[in-house]
Amino acid sequence: MNAREFNFDGLVGPSHNYAGLSFGNVASFNNVRSSANPRQAALQGLAKMRELAARGFAQAVMPPQGRPNFRLLRRVGFSGSDADVLARAYREAPVILACAYSAAPMWTANAATVSPSADSQDGRVHFTAANLNNKLHRSEEHVQATRTLRAIFHDSERFVVHDPLPPVPAFSDEGAANHTRFAQSYGAAGVEFFVYGRVEFDPAAPGPKKYPARQTLEASQAVARLHGLDPARTVFAAQNPEVIDQGVFHNDVISVGNGNVLFYHDQAFFDEAETIEALRRSLGGVGAELQAVRVASGQVPVADAVASYLFNSQLLSKPDGRMALVVPHECRENAAVSRYLAGLVASGGPIDELVEFDLRQSMRNGGGPACLRLRVVLTDAEAAAMHQGVIMTETLYAQLVAWVERHYRDRIEPKDLMDPQLAIECAAALEELTRILGLPGLYDL
């Protein structure tokens, strides 16, 4: 069937700030408590969406979540008026206040895991919102993520949006950041690839020693069952625990796939040879041949891959059958990575073009191009059935830029989080956004 991959990019929320809440994310920790620019962050993300849409790629917007999360603050004992809650939280528990203000939902790769209709037993597109229970500031995102996905993909004959997995360590789930799909074409039956960092019920299984592993095998297996995937076309692989301890907190920091291409670092997987062979076998079963683009440690050390987010890039299929790699500016600024990429596009392989964006605001908080997007493969009929108001067009781009310039601050520091006016500004911005996107009642503000 004719199908396209839509990239749903997270629209950066008006509370974007650098609180350094994500232990294990090196960039996030390095920029803790520095000044952030929400307006610039949102405009950088919108510029990326606009350019990719203009180049003919299917592009859509995932709206931000409501912040601050007063429900969280009140559940942990802060009471009184909203202003009282903010003042007391800032005084007594500033880290919890920062969690309530986190704009991390901008990284929609963590919003859910998605399986297209060509892969599912019932012929529908399946979504499972990620529980993100490894970090407090992300652990309640699934509530709004589920609500948003059901608002956009509301046709139950074509779409299924599952509730998140139980929020316990055994089912720790971080969504599409640890999942990708391979197929000869988007509309063909494919192979779904789940990467995990920890096995809850096998103490002998390998695991990191310094930083937490955020995805369990048990969670990945549960999502595959919920989505009705064929076991013969589903591959589970262990991430290399040594690279988790070097800041590779999600698999999309060390590998990325698209079509029949896997672009990966030689240190990405615990058993590289077996992982590649398993993908080759499964893809062979659907008449496709894996093209593995392997980056050796001698070419790009893990530290450089993490610093530049080389693999936290987007692989996009072009009409000529080749692929473009969407990278942040930091890849050009890193000598080893820049040198490698120059050779990559000249090599005659499947990746023959680089598309570079300035995503500095997101990068400083620990998220690159791949973090910012949720991939959703849709047939023409499914694309027509989803809510149309989120599809990126020149008109929508202009409306959103004007909206950002009306509502977003150009500077947020930690002390600003206790300002009641910031909370009022955030709520007003989202109220107007629902009208722009045609999604009334999206938020429970």
Side-chain angles (χ1 to χ4, degrees):
M1 299 182 69
N2 189 41
R4 303 176 72 194
E5 179 185 82
F6 280 76
N7 281 281
F8 281 76
D9 275 39
L11 182 55
V12 179
S15 69
H16 166 68
N17 69 97
Y18 297 138
L21 299 171
S22 193
F23 181 64
N25 182 328
V26 176
S28 173
F29 253 51
N30 285 346
N31 293 292
V32 62
R33 300 183 68 80
S34 60
S35 176
N37 187 330
R39 183 183 301 167
Q40 185 181 65
L43 294 177
Q44 287 174 348
L46 283 167
K48 170 178 170 292
M49 295 184 232
R50 180 197 194 189
E51 181 168 335
L52 293 179
R55 290 171 59 107
F57 298 109
Q59 181 68 59
V61 177
M62 190 72 75
Q65 298 197 7
R67 293 293 183 268
N69 185 346
F70 281 109
R71 178 178 57 196
L72 169 63
L73 294 172
R74 293 181 184 279
R75 281 174 60 192
V76 297
F78 299 109
S79 59
S81 67
D82 287 351
D84 291 338
V85 167
L86 295 173
R88 186 178 173 193
Y90 181 77
R91 185 172 63 251
E92 298 180 12
V95 174
I96 295 177
L97 177 60
C99 288
Y101 257 115
S102 171
M106 64 197 273
W107 298 311
T108 55
N110 301 122
T113 303
V114 187
S115 296
S117 53
D119 293 353
S120 65
Q121 190 174 39
D122 64 4
R124 295 187 289 177
V125 183
H126 285 252
F127 304 79
T128 296
N131 59 33
L132 297 168
N133 69 334
N134 189 265
K135 298 285 182 285
L136 174 61
H137 70 290
R138 307 207 67 178
S139 62
E140 292 204 354
E141 287 182 25
H142 63 83
V143 176
Q144 183 64 52
T146 302
R147 186 170 179 158
T148 298
L149 290 169
R150 286 174 177 163
I152 295 173
F153 302 100
H154 49 78
D155 184 346
S156 61
E157 292 186 3
R158 300 184 185 276
F159 309 114
V160 186
V161 180
H162 299 278
D163 290 333
L165 300 178
V168 296
F171 292 109
S172 183
D173 178 25
E174 300 270 321
N178 295 305
H179 169 267
T180 194
R181 176 182 187 261
F182 301 95
Q184 191 63 41
S185 65
Y186 289 127
V191 171
E192 302 214 10
F193 181 44
F194 295 82
V195 180
Y196 60 91
R198 184 171 63 83
V199 183
E200 174 75 7
F201 300 124
D202 181 4
K209 296 178 173 61
K210 179 180 180 182
Y211 292 138
R214 303 187 187 185
Q215 184 82 24
T216 64
L217 171 62
E218 291 82 359
S220 297
Q221 291 171 328
V223 171
R225 286 191 295 268
L226 285 169
H227 292 195
L229 302 183
D230 182 349
R233 295 190 283 116
T234 308
V235 175
F236 301 96
Q239 190 167 337
N240 182 353
E242 293 183 4
V243 299
I244 296 176
D245 282 338
Q246 294 178 66
V248 182
F249 55 99
H250 290 139
N251 181 63
D252 66 4
V253 179
I254 201 73
S255 77
V256 60
N258 175 57
N260 66 336
V261 173
L262 173 64
F263 179 50
Y264 78 104
H265 194 278
D266 67 2
Q267 297 298 306
F269 309 111
F270 178 68
D271 189 332
E272 179 191 2
E274 172 53 31
T275 299
I276 299 304
E277 179 56 29
L279 287 172
R280 289 194 193 281
R281 287 196 305 268
S282 294
L283 270 169
V286 294
E289 182 180 352
L290 178 70
Q291 293 191 64
V293 180
R294 180 181 189 264
V295 182
S297 299
Q299 296 171 294
V300 178
V302 171
D304 287 322
V306 173
S308 65
Y309 269 22
L310 167 62
F311 296 97
N312 195 248
S313 53
Q314 292 176 250
L315 262 182
L316 300 176
S317 295
K318 300 189 295 182
D320 65 2
R322 306 295 286 280
M323 295 188 188
L325 188 70
V326 177
V327 298
H329 278 340
E330 283 77 359
C331 284
R332 176 169 48 83
E333 296 167 352
N334 183 292
V337 172
S338 180
R339 185 168 53 250
Y340 171 79
L341 288 174
L344 176 70
V345 297
S347 68
I351 303 169
D352 70 344
E353 182 183 3
L354 299 179
V355 182
E356 185 180 321
F357 289 103
D358 179 2
L359 299 169
R360 193 82 67 187
Q361 286 289 317
S362 176
M363 288 285 290
R364 293 188 70 210
N365 223 3
C371 287
L372 285 164
R373 60 91 174 98
L374 180 69
R375 295 182 286 183
V376 184
V377 171
L378 300 171
T379 65
D380 292 343
E382 291 159 354
M386 76 173 180
H387 178 67
Q388 301 297 293
V390 295
I391 297 175
M392 179 55 65
T393 62
E394 276 295 310
T395 298
L396 180 58
Y397 171 77
Q399 289 176 314
L400 291 176
V401 166
W403 170 78
V404 167
E405 291 176 343
R406 279 195 300 275
H407 291 285
Y408 280 49
R409 297 187 179 190
D410 61 8
R411 186 181 184 88
I412 288 184
E413 298 180 359
K415 62 181 177 59
D416 296 322
L417 302 187
M418 69 173 177
D419 178 8
Q421 184 60 34
L422 177 59
I424 294 170
E425 292 168 9
C426 290
L430 296 190
E431 183 63 32
E432 183 179 343
L433 181 63
T434 62
R435 295 192 290 273
I436 294 173
L437 300 179
L439 290 170
L442 181 64
Y443 300 107
D444 181 19
L445 298 174

